[in-house]
């Protein structure tokens, strides 16, 4: 079974869990993802692998509470077991031949950006990390990023931590100051990645964006995760999740990402109410 | 005395206006009396033409003779000598183009209802108190089966009966492949699929769900590190095709695979399911195969007004006649000689309508069917809030892309010899992964053929 070995709250809406999954830990690489179900009737949700330990056979996941399933997951504790946990899925981040890379993460996307930065750092690549959050309470993995980067820039929307502004402001400044990147890797909200890609296109810097669309099976069977890249339909689960950021149709991806927003919100509220009732009953 | 009625005993079914609002099984099955009466229509031809029509060569007149005598368990034993999944095949096999197409009674009147009898026998057997299956004596050889759909289950079953230590690897969280995620509950109850799988487990077959071969573990690792002496690939044809028309990625456009997976595997038809679905007030299904019928009938049951658009005429519909009839009875509207050219969006990026072009039929194309040709300027629009693309599937490229030395066709099918042997030693394949999308019974037959070949391969090693 897929036991939760460790649980840590990173901020009020983001949680880290270490899961016992030796088969996945044996094979996974940064950039890949897993699909889990909390219980027998649960939905399948994809989460990108945030870290792994091959020797201990563990996978770290970091998730934001958005819908019913992530709410349920957040109510599980150390010692509890996930019903299903499958992976590693998707293709790993390509790192061959890179010398200097800017890793641009936003919000909970930083959880996925971090293992990429770490791997590049271990390979001897010069890593500049630019991470952005709405405010200081939402910052995650700051120390980890610092340790994996030769340059670290922290941005916040309200200026409560780091510099006030957007990650694109920081990236632009670095490029304008003469930093020459062979690649920019961006992971975060679609709207952020869209603007990062628009910026790097002006400077002609190859850019990879990590997509996290709605999916069911994760093996190329349902096509729910499809997106348009350079005019062609691609499946994020098998062709991605990383794609050439200059070719992605972000507007379409944003529309598709919002498909079940009302359902998700409702499921989240219902799950919350269930937990509340339970607390009151037992309280 | 033979029953000389020209017509089959009718299959009792749920009333169309009731069943199009529920997911319970449509066909209710024969009673013992009906089964015996139907069995008596068999003339027991010496040359048994029906057997040649069966992809796994079930001894049909033999089992029917036992049904006529009321020896249902005996009939079951005869069927299971050749078939691993009688309760499934009795329901989903296209008998009208196989065994029943060859039945002599069909020359003047209707053929013997072989499929319905097969189903009756399997259901009768399953309703009896459980008899403990004896686990065969192990022969100590390990075989891996990739995929738990019809071909994988059949292969695993035959090998397990011979004493092999079989492990089936399944990518999803439940076993059954298309029987679980694709074919809806009202046509194939999942309890029946589960029963077949439980039967395999009793034979000692291990089923490892949540394992994506090619990702979690490779075929080479199965052989070199895990000690499997042979591998059977029954990974199916699960990659959905799209038309590549404008608007296909709009919200509310599904592949039939996604739509059916949400409903069947993820139980989105139940009000308490955690998995959302948008069947819409109106749904347009594109395509005319069995999967299209399944999608259409599911959408109907989810409360939509349902249209099936198909570019040829009714005569060319590839779906089984029974499915088409059931769909019509349930109120599904067919638009023939119609081909979509564009899907239009509302201001929020959701499907608003589908633009179609009228077609006319011309000369037969490569498939031997009349080719649809667009009628110039004959466009019309159907308002709809969901579109389900059901125009076929291809083999999933995951195994090919992660297995060195495995040769495949240009379109993705794995290349094998007549026994299922691939270009890799000890690695066999069968079912939709080899042929492209076909039927449950053909996949099962391929699984059985490979099981025999694997047995021979290992015994001669």
């Amino acid at each position: 079974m897929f036991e939760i070995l460790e649980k840590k709250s990173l901020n009020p809406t983001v949680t880290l869990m270490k899961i016992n999954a030796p088969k996945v830990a044996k094979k996974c690489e940064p950039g890949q993802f897993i699909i889990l179900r909390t219980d027998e009737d649960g939905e399948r949700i994809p989460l990108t692998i945030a870290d792994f330990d091959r020797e201990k056979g563990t996978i770290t996941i970091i998730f934001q509470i958005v819908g019913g399933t992530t709410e349920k997951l957040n109510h599980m504790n150390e010692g509890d077991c996930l019903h299903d946990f499958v992976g590693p899925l998707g293709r790993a981040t390509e790192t061959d031949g890179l010398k200097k890379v800017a890793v641009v993460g936003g919000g909970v996307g930083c959880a996925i950006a971090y293992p990429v930065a770490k791997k590049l750092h271990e390979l001897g690549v010069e890593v500049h990390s630019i991470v952005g959050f709405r405010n200081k309470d939402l910052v995650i993995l700051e120390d980890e990023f610092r340790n994996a980067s030769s340059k670290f820039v922290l941005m916040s929307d309200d200026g409560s931590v780091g510099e006030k502004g957007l990650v694109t402001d920081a990236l632009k400044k670095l490029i304008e100051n003469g930093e020459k990147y062979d690649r920019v890797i961006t992971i975060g909200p679609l709207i952020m990645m869209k603007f990062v890609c628009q910026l790097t296109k002006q400077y002609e810097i190859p850019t990879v964006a990590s997509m996290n669309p709605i999916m069911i099976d994760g093996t190329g069977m349902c096509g729910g995760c499809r997106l348009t890249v350079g005019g062609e339909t691609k499946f994020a689960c098998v062709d991605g999740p990383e794609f050439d950021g200059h070719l992605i149709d972000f507007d379409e991806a944003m529309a598709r990402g919002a498909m079940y927003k009302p359902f998700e919100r409702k499921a989240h509220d219902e799950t919350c109410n269930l937990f509340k009732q339970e607390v009151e009953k037992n309280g | 005395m033979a029953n000389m009625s020209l017509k089959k005993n009718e299959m009792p079914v749920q009333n169309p206006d009731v069943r199009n609002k529920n997911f319970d099984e449509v066909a209710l099955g024969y009673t013992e009396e009906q089964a015996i009466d139907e069995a008596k229509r068999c003339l027991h031809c010496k040359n048994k033409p029906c057997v040649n029509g069966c992809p796994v060569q079930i001894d049909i007149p033999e089992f029917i003779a036992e049904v006529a005598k009321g020896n249902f368990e005996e009939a079951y034993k005869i069927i299971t000598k050749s078939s691993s999944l009688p309760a499934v095949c009795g329901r989903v096999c296209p008998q009208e183009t196989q065994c029943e197409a060859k039945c002599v009674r069909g020359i003047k009147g209707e053929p013997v209802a072989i499929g319905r009898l097969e189903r009756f026998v399997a259901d009768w057997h399953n309703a009896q108190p459980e008899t403990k299956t004896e686990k065969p004596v192990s022969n100590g050889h390990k075989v891996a089966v990739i995929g738990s759909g019809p071909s994988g289950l059949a292969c695993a079953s035959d090998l397990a009966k011979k004493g092999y230590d079989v492990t089936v690897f399944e990518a999803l969280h439940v076993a059954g492949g298309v029987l679980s995620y694709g074919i809806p509950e009202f046509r194939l109850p999942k309890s029946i699929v589960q029963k077949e799988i439980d039967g395999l487990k009793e034979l000692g077959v291990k089923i490892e769900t949540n394992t994506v071969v090619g990702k979690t573990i490779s075929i080479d690792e199965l052989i070199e590190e895990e000690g499997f002496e042979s591998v059977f690939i029954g990974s199916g044809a699960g990659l959905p095709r799209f038309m590549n028309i404008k608007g296909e990625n709009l919200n509310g456009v599904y592949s039939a695979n996604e739509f059916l997976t949400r409903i069947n595997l993820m139980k989105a038809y139940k009000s308490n399911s955690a998995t959302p679905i948008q069947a819409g007030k109106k749904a347009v299904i594109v395509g005319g195969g069995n999967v299209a019928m399944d999608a259409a009938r599911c959408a109907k049951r989810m409360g939509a007004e349902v249209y099936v658009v198909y570019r040829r005429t009714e005569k060319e519909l590839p779906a089984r006649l029974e499915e088409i009839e059931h769909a019509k009875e349930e109120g599904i509207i067919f638009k023939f000689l119609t081909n979509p050219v564009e899907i239009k969006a509302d201001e929020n990026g959701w499907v608003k309508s589908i633009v179609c072009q009228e077609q006319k039929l011309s000369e037969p194309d490569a498939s031997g069917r009349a080719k649809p040709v667009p009628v110039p300027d004959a466009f019309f629009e159907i308002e709809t809030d969901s579109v389900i693309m059901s125009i076929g599937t291809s083999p999933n490229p995951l195994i090919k892309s992660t297995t060195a030395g495995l040769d495949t066709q240009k379109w993705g099918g794995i290349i094998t010899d007549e026994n299922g042997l691939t270009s890799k030693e000890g690695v066999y394949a069968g079912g939709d992964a080899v042929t492209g999308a076909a039927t449950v019974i053909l996949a099962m037959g391929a699984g059985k053929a490979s099981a025999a070949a694997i047995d021979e391969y290992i015994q001669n090693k």
Side-chain angles (χ1 to χ4, degrees), chain B residues 6-254:
Chain B
L6 293 182
K7 286 197 159 283
K8 291 175 178 179
N9 274 272
E10 261 188 54
M11 177 62 115
V13 292
Q14 272 196 74
N15 180 303
D17 275 337
V18 174
R19 71 181 193 236
N20 66 11
K21 295 171 195 73
N22 69 48
F23 276 81
D24 299 336
E25 193 170 17
V26 169
L28 303 170
Y30 279 166
T31 60
E32 292 189 11
E33 294 72 31
Q34 285 170 315
I36 292 170
D37 188 59
E38 183 63 27
K40 287 183 177 161
R41 294 185 64 228
C42 178
L43 300 177
H44 299 284
C45 313
K46 274 218 176 65
N47 57 350
K48 302 181 180 179
C50 50
V51 178
N52 291 326
C54 174
V56 298
Q57 311 246 302
I58 294 173
D59 196 337
I60 294 163
E62 281 294 303
F63 99 73
I64 291 181
E66 296 301 334
V67 176
K69 285 186 257 174
N71 294 337
F72 306 131
E73 188 58 31
E74 209 42 50
Y76 182 78
K77 281 185 191 148
I78 294 167
I79 296 174
T80 49
K81 269 188 218 159
S82 316
S83 169
S84 326
L85 309 166
V88 173
C89 293
R91 286 174 166 79
V92 304
C93 250
Q95 292 100 5
E96 66 277 9
T97 61
Q98 300 178 3
C99 51
E100 293 182 20
K102 303 278 171 87
C103 177
V104 170
R105 293 297 308 263
I107 298 169
K108 196 181 157 197
E110 288 181 349
V112 176
I114 301 170
R116 294 172 187 174
L117 288 174
E118 182 186 23
R119 169 188 160 146
F120 167 80
V121 168
D123 288 356
W124 186 90
H125 170 85
N126 286 341
Q128 301 312 303
E130 301 267 335
T131 45
K132 196 114 183 78
T133 320
E134 289 266 318
K135 219 189 244 184
V137 181
S138 168
N139 67 8
H141 296 287
K142 274 173 80 176
V143 179
V145 170
I146 303 169
S148 62
S151 71
L153 293 181
C155 185
S157 164
D158 278 15
L159 287 168
K161 284 176 192 159
K162 289 196 166 99
Y164 286 91
D165 176 0
V166 183
T167 306
V168 179
F169 296 95
E170 167 56 48
L172 293 173
H173 56 266
V174 291
V178 73
L179 307 176
S180 291
Y181 75 73
I183 305 178
E185 180 76 17
F186 57 82
R187 207 149 75 76
L188 179 64
K190 300 309 139 209
S191 56
I192 287 172
V193 180
Q194 196 49 51
K195 187 121 192 162
E196 302 285 4
I197 290 159
D198 290 344
L200 273 191
K201 287 186 187 161
E202 274 177 36
L203 284 172
V205 172
K206 298 188 244 338
I207 298 188
E208 293 215 17
T209 52
N210 293 322
T211 307
V212 184
V213 174
K215 288 289 176 187
T216 314
I217 193 160
S218 70
I219 288 183
D220 288 328
E221 285 166 335
L222 286 174
I223 296 171
E224 286 155 22
E225 293 172 24
E226 303 289 324
F228 290 99
E229 291 174 62
S230 180
V231 176
F232 174 76
I233 307 170
S235 51
L239 191 74
R241 286 195 205 123
F242 288 95
M243 293 184 77
N244 298 316
I245 58 173
K246 201 175 160 213
E248 227 171 357
N249 293 350
L250 291 172
N251 289 359
V253 182
Y254 292 101

Side-chain angles (χ1 to χ4, degrees), chain A residues 2 23-24 26-27 32 37 40-44 69 72 83-91 214-228 233 235 237-238 252 255-260 263 267, chain B residues 169 171-174 181 208-212 214-218 221 225-226 238-240 242 244 248-255 257-258 261-262 265-267 273-278 348-350 396-398:
Chain A
F2 309 101
K23 278 204 281 186
V24 185
K26 190 178 164 197
K27 288 296 271 281
Q32 291 188 295
R37 291 202 313 156
E40 202 182 337
D41 298 315
E43 67 174 337
R44 295 170 67 93
T69 300
K72 257 196 238 167
H83 199 276
D84 299 285
F85 196 85
V86 57
L89 300 166
R91 298 153 73 111
I214 295 163
M215 57 176 76
I216 307 177
D217 61 294
T219 63
M221 201 188 81
C222 78
C225 66
R226 65 195 186 275
L227 70 162
T228 306
T233 293
F235 289 1
C237 65
V238 285
E252 180 188 272
R256 288 185 68 77
M259 203 177 319
Y260 298 110
F263 183 97
Chain B
F169 296 95
L172 293 173
H173 56 266
V174 291
Y181 75 73
E208 293 215 17
T209 52
N210 293 322
T211 307
V212 184
K215 288 289 176 187
T216 314
I217 193 160
S218 70
E221 285 166 335
E225 293 172 24
E226 303 289 324
L239 191 74
F242 288 95
N244 298 316
E248 227 171 357
N249 293 350
L250 291 172
N251 289 359
V253 182
Y254 292 101
S255 71
N257 263 5
E258 179 180 1
T261 300
R262 283 178 183 271
L265 182 76
M266 307 311 297
K267 312 282 177 226
S273 172
T275 297
I277 194 157
Q278 155 88 14
N348 301 317
W350 280 86
N396 194 318
L398 212 58

Side-chain angles (χ1 to χ4, degrees), chain B residues 146 151 232-238 394-396 399 407-409 411-416 429-438 443:
Chain B
I146 303 169
S151 71
F232 174 76
I233 307 170
S235 51
S394 317
N396 194 318
I399 300 252
D407 292 346
T408 56
Q409 315 270 9
W411 51 268
I414 299 170
I415 297 171
T416 67
D432 287 4
V434 171
T435 58

Side-chain angles (χ1 to χ4, degrees), chain A:
Chain A
M1 284 303 268
F2 309 101
E3 191 185 339
I4 300 167
L5 302 173
E6 197 182 318
K7 179 183 174 186
K8 199 159 77 183
S9 173
L10 298 186
N11 74 35
T13 62
V14 176
T15 302
L16 172 151
M17 280 181 180
K18 264 189 198 170
I19 312 291
N20 180 41
K23 278 204 281 186
V24 185
K26 190 178 164 197
K27 288 296 271 281
C28 70
E29 291 291 341
Q32 291 188 295
F33 66 96
I34 56 93
I35 284 182
L36 66 80
R37 291 202 313 156
T38 51
D39 54 283
E40 202 182 337
D41 298 315
E43 67 174 337
R44 295 170 67 93
I45 60 161
L47 290 172
T48 307
I49 293 166
D51 207 349
F52 56 88
D53 186 325
R54 292 205 208 286
E55 274 163 34
K56 292 193 182 124
T58 61
I59 295 285
T60 303
I61 51 171
I62 295 178
F63 58 93
Q64 184 159 28
I65 302 151
V66 284
T69 300
T70 40
E71 180 68 40
K72 257 196 238 167
L73 183 59
N74 196 46
H75 276 82
M76 296 180 81
N77 290 308
E78 288 171 11
D80 291 345
C81 286
L82 299 175
H83 199 276
D84 299 285
F85 196 85
V86 57
L89 300 166
R91 298 153 73 111
T93 306
E94 280 173 32
T95 51
D96 287 355
L98 297 177
K99 294 205 170 56
K100 187 166 170 175
V101 172
V103 175
V104 184
V108 72
C110 292
I112 309 156
Y114 165 66
V116 175
K118 181 177 147 192
K119 176 163 184 190
L120 290 167
H121 182 70
E122 282 166 6
L123 289 169
V125 178
E126 185 180 346
V127 178
H128 292 184
S129 295
I130 304 159
V131 295
F133 299 91
R134 286 213 311 278
N135 61 52
K136 73 173 184 336
D137 296 332
L138 301 178
V139 175
I140 57 170
L141 302 173
E142 184 180 347
D143 292 340
E144 286 84 348
F145 269 110
R146 281 188 194 282
N147 291 335
S149 322
S150 55
K151 195 169 264 183
F152 175 76
V153 186
L154 176 60
M155 305 294 291
S156 62
D157 291 2
D158 64 356
S160 57
V161 66
E163 290 174 44
K164 184 177 165 138
L166 303 171
V167 288
T168 39
D169 301 333
L171 179 62
K172 186 169 182 184
K173 208 158 125 194
L174 287 169
I175 298 168
E176 291 285 338
N177 285 345
E179 300 287 358
K180 294 249 179 288
Y181 301 114
D182 344 305
R183 188 174 297 171
V184 171
I185 298 175
T186 181
I187 307 172
L190 288 167
I191 187 81
M192 179 203 94
M193 295 197 287
K194 175 181 168 175
F195 283 107
V196 168
C197 293
Q198 272 179 10
L199 177 74
T200 58
K201 196 163 183 186
Q202 290 167 26
Y203 295 98
E204 294 177 3
I205 306 168
T207 300
V208 166
S210 177
M211 306 298 276
N212 188 15
I214 295 163
M215 57 176 76
I216 307 177
D217 61 294
T219 63
M221 201 188 81
C222 78
C225 66
R226 65 195 186 275
L227 70 162
T228 306
V229 183
E232 271 182 64
T233 293
K234 297 278 181 193
F235 289 1
C237 65
V238 285
D239 301 322
E242 294 179 0
F243 294 97
D244 183 337
H246 296 154
L247 299 178
I248 295 170
D249 182 342
F250 280 105
D251 294 336
E252 180 188 272
M254 280 188 261
R256 288 185 68 77
M259 203 177 319
Y260 298 110
K261 275 274 147 62
F263 183 97
E264 213 168 65
R265 219 166 286 134
K266 194 166 150 265
H268 175 243
D269 294 347
E270 280 173 5
T271 312
C272 278
N273 283 337
L274 279 181
F275 283 120
K276 262 186 223 149
Q277 283 167 13
E278 227 166 85
V279 170
E280 280 163 15
K281 214 167 49 195
N282 301 334

